[in-house]
């Protein structure tokens, strides 16, 4: 692999990792924002059936996003967690209205596919 291709892969991994780490860590500090702004009420109701409350769901999403970010930086299980991130981001298309967040997620999926 050429040096420029290796560098481009490094920088795209670093960029994706920074996004996932930022949003993952933010979920632990501003969980009420994430619950009120982005959690569908039906998801909260469904989670209650499994003994999870809304804060637990946000923390689970945060842990997942931090793990994806760490995987991208460390190159450990990178394909597995990239696949999970694509599924995670793709699932948002079904739960959120089309807006700037979905457009951002389309770009992130493109980065993961690269």
């Amino acid at each position: 692999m050429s040096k420029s291709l290796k560098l481009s892969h490094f920088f795209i991994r670093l960029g994706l990792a920074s996004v996932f780490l930022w949003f993952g860590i933010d979920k632990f500090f501003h969980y009420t924002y994430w619950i009120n702004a982005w959690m569908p009420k039906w998801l909260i109701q469904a989670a209650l059936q499994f003994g999870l409350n809304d804060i637990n769901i946000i923390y689970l999403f945060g842990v997942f996003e931090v793990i994806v970010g760490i995987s991208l930086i460390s190159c450990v299980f990178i394909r597995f967690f990239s696949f999970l991130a694509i599924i995670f981001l793709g699932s948002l298309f079904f739960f959120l209205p089309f807006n700037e967040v979905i457009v951002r997620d389309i770009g992130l999926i493109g980065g993961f596919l690269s």
Side-chain angles (χ1 to χ4, degrees):
M1 187 182 311
S2 72
K3 185 174 177 95
S4 65
L5 192 56
K6 286 181 184 179
L7 277 175
S8 65
H9 282 148
F10 170 75
F11 284 117
I12 197 158
R13 279 195 342 265
L14 189 63
L16 290 169
S18 65
V19 170
F20 268 76
L21 287 171
W22 179 275
F23 284 109
I25 292 169
D26 190 60
K27 285 180 175 59
F28 293 100
F29 293 104
H30 302 109
Y31 54 86
T32 53
Y33 164 76
W34 290 99
I35 292 168
N36 295 328
W38 298 104
M39 289 282 295
K41 301 299 179 206
W42 65 265
L43 182 60
I44 296 170
Q45 294 299 323
L48 288 173
Q49 303 299 319
F50 296 100
L52 296 172
N53 61 21
D54 48 4
I55 295 173
N56 296 133
I57 298 169
I58 291 298
Y59 284 167
L60 286 172
F61 287 157
V63 167
F64 170 74
E65 291 173 358
V66 168
I67 290 172
V68 168
I70 291 170
S71 170
L72 289 166
I73 290 172
S74 67
C75 293
V76 176
F77 300 115
I78 192 169
R79 288 183 185 217
F80 175 72
F81 284 110
S82 292
F83 174 75
L84 291 180
I86 290 169
I87 300 298
F88 175 72
L89 293 170
S91 69
L92 297 177
F93 297 154
F94 300 105
F95 303 124
L96 298 175
F98 187 81
N99 57 24
E100 65 279 357
V101 174
I102 296 298
V103 173
R104 177 206 63 201
D105 292 345
I106 291 169
L108 292 174
I109 287 172
F112 278 110
L113 288 171
S114 72

